[in-house]
Amino acid sequence: MQTERDQLLLTVRNLARFHREHEKFYSESPFHDVIRLQRNSRALKALAERHRIVSNDWQCASMAELIARNLDRAVAILGRADFTPAALRADLTAHRVVPRYLFSASEMLDFAAHLAAHSAVLTHENERRWRIFHERVDQIVGAADTPGGKELPPEGR
């Protein structure tokens, strides 16, 4: 009877140990999953930031092309007007085309200026985005370089 009891105690002890190991694994496993997801999240955020920078750069390049077209067209319109005093007097007494040319050219110049201002805003935003991007990359690299993948605080580097 003693051996049967010892055998039963041994079985209970093994179950308790197995249960403790099982519990330990499942209590740590989600933690490791969260860390892995967080690392991926940081990388994805950095990648998204980089894509936003590239998109802003593409938009600025397209705007620069549109600005150039508007400026070229405004110059072409102004080139059609004769600004000599005699020609201006003659136009004022006849069809008054030169003021309409001036108005059209000024509208195109105004739109070009608007696009240039918007492009400057995008460029300014990219300066901040570049800083954020580099900080995120430093965090990711710092986390990968530390033992166990734990990130060191900036003052600890």
Side-chain angles (χ1 to χ4, degrees):
M1 180 144 328
Q2 186 66 17
T3 59
E4 191 177 309
R5 185 174 163 215
D6 290 342
Q7 196 65 21
L8 187 59
L9 285 174
L10 185 62
T11 303
V12 170
R13 186 178 297 144
N14 284 339
L15 283 173
R17 188 175 26 140
F18 174 75
H19 182 66
R20 187 172 47 247
E21 292 299 319
H22 180 77
E23 215 174 58
K24 186 178 175 184
F25 172 78
Y26 281 105
S27 68
E28 291 177 4
S29 180
F31 177 71
H32 295 298
D33 290 343
V34 167
I35 290 172
R36 193 169 33 256
L37 285 173
Q38 186 180 20
R39 284 186 190 136
N40 290 338
S41 173
R42 287 184 195 140
L44 290 174
K45 283 180 184 176
L47 184 61
E49 199 67 46
R50 180 68 179 112
H51 282 289
R52 179 66 188 264
I53 292 166
V54 169
S55 294
N56 282 355
D57 287 344
W58 286 342
Q59 191 173 1
C60 287
S62 296
M63 281 189 207
E65 185 178 344
L66 192 54
I67 290 167
R69 286 183 181 183
N70 276 275
L71 293 175
D72 286 343
R73 187 67 188 135
V75 168
I77 289 171
L78 290 174
R80 297 187 70 168
D82 186 357
F83 291 105
T84 62
L88 289 174
R89 282 190 197 101
D91 183 65
L92 285 173
T93 59
H95 301 293
R96 296 182 178 244
V97 175
V98 173
R100 285 182 271 174
Y101 282 152
L102 289 174
F103 181 76
S104 293
S106 69
E107 286 288 313
M108 298 191 92
L109 293 171
D110 180 58
F111 186 60
H114 171 76
L115 290 173
H118 187 63
S119 180
V121 168
L122 290 174
T123 300
H124 180 71
E125 286 178 4
N126 271 359
E127 291 171 3
R128 182 183 63 83
R129 291 183 190 287
W130 271 117
R131 282 193 308 276
I132 291 169
F133 172 75
H134 286 294
E135 287 171 5
R136 287 185 177 155
V137 168
D138 288 346
Q139 288 174 352
I140 293 167
V141 170
D145 288 345
T146 59
K150 294 180 182 174
E151 189 173 328
L152 290 175
E155 64 274 358
R157 287 188 197 156

